[in-house]
Amino acid sequence: MASAEKAESPGPESTRTAPANGNDTKHPAPLTCLVKGEGSADDAARTPAEEKELLLKLDLLLLPSLWMMTLISHLDRSSIANARIAGMGADLHLSSSQYSLVIIAFYLSYIPTAPLCSMLVTRTRPSILLPTTMACWGVVTCAQAAVKNSSQLIVLRLLMGLFETALTPASIMLLSSWYRPAEQARRAVTYTSSTMLGGAFGGLLAGAIVQRLDNARGLRGWQWLFIVEGAITIAWAIICVFLIPDFPENSRLLSQRQREVAIMRMREVGTAGYAGKLPGGRKMGKTKSVVVACSDWRTWIITAATTSLSCSFVLPYFYPGLVYELGYRSAVTAQYMTVPIWAAALVWSVGMSILADRMAYSRSLLLSLSAVYAMAMTIAVCSVYGAVQRYVLLTLMGTGIWSTIPVGTSFSAATLRDMPPEARSIAVALTGIGAQLGNFYGAYLFPAETAPKLAHCR
């Protein structure tokens, strides 16, 4: 798989297509000539200062936006676990099987709509698509505070999965459209660290809300948890409209010259531009983009790899309950005790990502080693029953599992970078589907009747 990542080599020179008013970014025209590689060598010249300025601007606009959106997405998605041990399970009389269905409901709508949302990413502006879908799932999060039974909760989880679908493919497309392969792993861990921090912060936030707001204004703590998190989601969605830079060819937040520099940088490493590879800069049709993505062997290799790791992604739904069963019987304490698990995973992932950028063409090896390490720790967790020992092993297992995300994200982006963007978005969606398939059987990994060996809280 390592051979799929092509070496960075200079491409043909490009031309500038800027009008006299080169700073007009309100309605930027697509820079299709640059995408196709036409022009002179003089116009392609750029200075290190220009490149540094561009990267700094992207790091200040794109990364914080995606980081916060992913953090909030993780909080909203996994808060169901915190709400359950905070009283929702008892109030709604949720059985173990009903809780598993609630988890699965999210993915029943998330997976089928992934290809459609991926198509929308390259045919609309991410600065409009992502905030709109985010605001919608924020409303759904708030609405979960009003559920009276498991059926209502399942319906809302279906809607949440539908609205959250666009975030992951859009994020990968944006990162791979702005950053070169040797720059991606560090940015990917910045982006994916929000998942790990979301786990840690989610425990702290849930513990604080449950402790301070339980029974305030006649609402239980778990209801306030959904309301507070949903309000934060809606607020950030509004802010993101002004922060997400779209793609290099059509960004409204960059000057004409900055967009040219961005396109030249990406062409040199073989990344296909937003305007596609068709004559005249036309976009690839929907049917052709699906055919191109599905006929590329790289799509299926990466999909198979992500599917093999996918079961582990359901673990955040069980962390609070697993810790609860280790003897931390206070709901608030159990929330807080999940924090070290996520903190260790974050530190390990940062180290792995730095190493991945320094070994840009050996990322597949790092990914394989992380997967083997995670598998070994998972087996150990299932084999050791001592409370302290299992807590330590849960922490070690988390470092292996979650370090595969930033390394895998950068590997996928680098491997698929030469696909036309419309086809690349489909390939990203298919790998994303693979990453979610394990949640269907993963939701049943820890049934309550297996307590105390392998259990989430009752």
Side-chain angles (χ1 to χ4, degrees), residues 27-289:
H27 300 289
L31 303 179
T32 56
C33 290
L34 278 172
V35 177
K36 294 190 293 180
E38 302 168 356
S40 66
D42 291 339
D43 287 332
R46 65 181 186 275
T47 66
E50 285 181 314
E51 197 161 346
K52 184 177 180 180
E53 179 186 7
L54 172 65
L55 287 174
L56 177 62
K57 192 166 187 177
L58 291 173
D59 289 344
L60 293 177
L61 288 175
L62 180 60
L63 286 185
S65 301
L66 297 181
W67 185 90
M68 191 66 176
M69 293 184 85
T70 308
L71 170 68
I72 291 173
S73 170
H74 182 84
L75 287 176
D76 292 345
R77 186 186 307 187
S78 61
S79 60
I80 194 79
N82 301 108
R84 188 179 187 226
I85 68 170
M88 185 188 72
D91 292 347
L92 300 185
H93 307 290
L94 283 179
S95 66
S96 176
S97 60
Q98 286 175 325
Y99 180 64
S100 296
L101 286 174
V102 168
I103 296 174
I104 289 175
F106 178 92
Y107 300 101
L108 286 175
S109 57
Y110 186 100
I111 291 176
T113 55
L116 175 61
C117 287
S118 293
M119 289 183 183
L120 290 175
V121 169
T122 55
R123 289 171 169 79
T124 61
R125 288 188 177 274
S127 60
I128 302 299
L129 176 66
L130 290 181
T132 300
T133 56
M134 187 177 191
C136 290
W137 95 59
V139 172
V140 173
T141 300
C142 290
Q144 288 179 124
V147 298
K148 304 298 183 184
N149 53 57
S150 61
S151 298
Q152 295 174 358
L153 188 57
I154 288 172
V155 171
L156 291 178
R157 295 288 292 183
L158 285 167
L159 291 175
M160 180 175 289
L162 174 65
F163 292 128
E164 284 199 29
T165 306
L167 179 58
T168 297
S171 298
I172 295 176
M173 285 294 296
L174 285 168
L175 288 173
S176 64
S177 296
W178 288 104
Y179 294 108
R180 295 154 70 111
E183 301 163 346
Q184 287 174 1
R186 282 168 291 178
R187 269 76 181 192
V189 76
T190 301
Y191 150 63
T192 58
S193 67
S194 56
T195 300
M196 290 161 273
L197 286 176
F201 180 66
L204 293 173
L205 179 64
I209 291 175
V210 170
Q211 190 173 29
R212 296 176 181 274
L213 294 180
D214 193 29
N215 295 318
R217 297 183 179 274
L219 297 177
R220 295 293 308 276
W222 63 268
Q223 293 175 300
W224 280 113
L225 177 62
F226 288 134
I227 293 171
V228 171
E229 290 187 358
I232 294 173
T233 302
I234 296 169
W236 186 249
I238 296 172
I239 295 172
C240 276
V241 174
F242 308 100
L243 295 180
I244 297 177
D246 295 319
F247 295 105
E249 292 78 9
N250 67 345
S251 175
R252 294 173 293 184
L253 300 181
L254 274 65
S255 68
Q256 188 88 342
R257 178 56 182 168
Q258 288 173 327
R259 292 192 288 134
E260 292 170 0
V261 170
I263 295 170
M264 287 186 280
R265 277 170 31 86
M266 301 310 295
R267 281 189 58 251
E268 288 178 357
V269 294
T271 300
Y274 173 78
K277 291 186 173 180
L278 300 182
R282 294 181 290 108
K283 294 183 181 182
M284 182 177 288
K286 298 179 181 65
T287 301
K288 185 172 179 59
S289 63

Side-chain angles (χ1 to χ4, degrees), residues 11-25:
E13 302 295 351
S14 308
T15 184
R16 295 180 59 183
T17 59
N21 181 10
N23 292 320
D24 181 12
T25 60

Side-chain angles (χ1 to χ4, degrees), residues 48 112 245 263 328 341 361 420:
I263 295 170
Y328 301 99
I341 297 175
Y361 302 108

